[in-house]
Structure formats: structure tokens, C-alpha cells
Amino acid sequence: NMAAVITVDGPSGSGKGTICQLLARELDWHLLDSGALYRLTALAARHHGVELDDVEALEVLAAHLDVRFKPRKDGETQIILEGEEVTHAIRNERVGEDASVIAALAPVRSALLSRQRDFAGEPGLVADGRDMGTVVFPEAELKIYLDASAEERAQRRYKQLISKDPGASLDDILNDIKARDARDMNRAVAPLKPAPDAVRLDTTSMTIDEVLQSVLDEARHRG
Ligand code: C5P
């Protein structure tokens, strides 16, 4: 597939998700939220009573994920798993934890590979994940790696959560983020790391709009 691709990788809380949505909307390109595929596999495992160490069953689930992404007029994408709406259910912290556990399994990752590449298409694709620039789209014309300090990422998550959950604890969130980072960066297959040719942005003291403008500038540079 020769369509243009911009990859955006980085740890959780780096602002990738928001930036990719805004970027895809601005360019009117397709969007791949690859983390959603790992989250959907984790949720499917729970629904089917599959244990997180049953590699063969997880591989089958990942290869046959019955999922539909339905863009809505308000810009949000509705996610339907086996006929059930799971748009919000997959954002749950437990599901994110489970996703990061099964994401360390090579057979699960390869089962999801062609499905991710199928998102590429005219006029272009914005691909959000951990290994978009290193493994899934190594030929992408623009690769971005977003980072921010763990403390800043914990603050951002805390601000999102506190309105819904007054009991949220900044310390707990920081510990979760550090544990997730360690698992994503230290796994043997497709660990989180910048591609050698990635443009690296530290977003710790940047606003979302500043990050978006920097990425758009890079994209325009490459024409
Ligand atoms: O980005 P998000 O938090 O939705 O991803 C959930 C988990 O899925 C991550 O913690 C990571 O372990 C895994 N993941 C991955 N490769 C990707 C996207 C997500 O391993 N390309």
C-alpha cells in the first residue's frame, strides 16, 4: 500500500490520542488507534473467559476480532465488538492493564499486524501506537515520537479522572503509569522506543495546540 502514513508513537499520557484525532481531522485522513485493537482483544478475552496466559486462545481471538469502527457525526468513533457497543468500556483502566499484558505476546502482535496495515488508504493515515514507526509502518514518510515526564502524564490523567472519580489518587496513577511504561519499554517484542528516524517532541510543557502545530509543520516540510 503506497498511501501516505504519519506514525505517532509514545507512552500513555503523552497526548498521542488527542493529537492523532486532531491531526486526522485537520488533514482529513484515516485514523488508526492501534491501542484500541489490543484493548478489544483484552475485552474479548474477558467476555470469552480466556485467561491472559492462554497464548493460543488469545492469538485466535486477535486474528478473528469481530469489530466495527463506526465514525459518528460528532467526530467520535463508535466501536462495536461482537455486536456490542464498547466505545467507553475499552477505556477502563483494567482493560488497559490487560491490554498491556497481552501486548507482550508475539503471536497476538502478529495476529493484529495485517489488520493494522489495512487501515492505510488514500489520502493518508495517521497511526497512533507504540510500534507504528518501528514495526507496523517502517516506511512511513513522517514518524513522530511524543514524550512527557511521568509526573506530567500522571497529572493529565488525574485531571481527566477526578471529575468522574473523586477518589482518584495522583500517587496511584503515577505508579500505574510507571508500571505500564516499564512493561511497554522492556518487552522483548516491539518494545516502545522511538524509530531512529523519528522526530521527537517532549510535550511536558507544551499545550495540545502547540504540539499539533509542530506536527503539522513537520508534515508540511515533507510535502
Ligand atoms: O494506547 P493505549 O493505552 O490504548 O494502549 C493500551 C496498551 O496496548 C498499551 O499499554 C500497550 O501495551 C499496548 N499497545 C501496544 N502497541 C500498540 C498500541 C498499544 O503494545 N501499537
Side-chain angles (χ1 to χ4, degrees), residues 34-35 38-39 100 103 109 129-132 180 184 187:
S34 61
Y38 291 93
R39 289 170 180 271
S100 106
R109 301 199 73 84
R130 302 291 190 291
D131 62 340
M132 298 296 99
R180 181 93 66 91
D184 288 348
R187 69 184 173 216

Side-chain angles (χ1 to χ4, degrees), residues 72-159:
R72 286 198 323 210
K73 289 198 188 76
D74 65 4
E76 202 191 357
T77 301
Q78 234 186 346
I79 306 180
I80 317 285
L81 175 65
E82 295 170 8
E84 188 191 332
E85 147 112 65
V86 296
T87 316
H88 299 289
I90 61 163
R91 300 299 157 193
N92 178 290
E93 296 294 321
R94 263 304 294 274
V95 176
E97 274 298 303
D98 289 357
S100 106
V101 172
I102 64 167
L105 305 171
V108 169
R109 301 199 73 84
S110 37
L112 292 176
L113 201 55
S114 64
R115 194 184 283 262
Q116 295 175 80
R117 290 185 176 146
D118 286 344
F119 278 78
E122 298 298 337
L125 173 70
V126 177
D128 165 356
R130 302 291 190 291
D131 62 340
M132 298 296 99
T134 52
V135 175
V136 182
F137 300 107
E139 310 292 332
E141 27 286 284
L142 175 58
K143 301 178 183 179
I144 304 287
Y145 189 87
L146 292 187
D147 210 345
S149 71
E151 287 71 19
E152 170 65 20
R153 292 184 285 125
Q155 280 284 356
R156 291 175 187 171
R157 178 62 56 88
Y158 180 74
K159 282 183 199 149

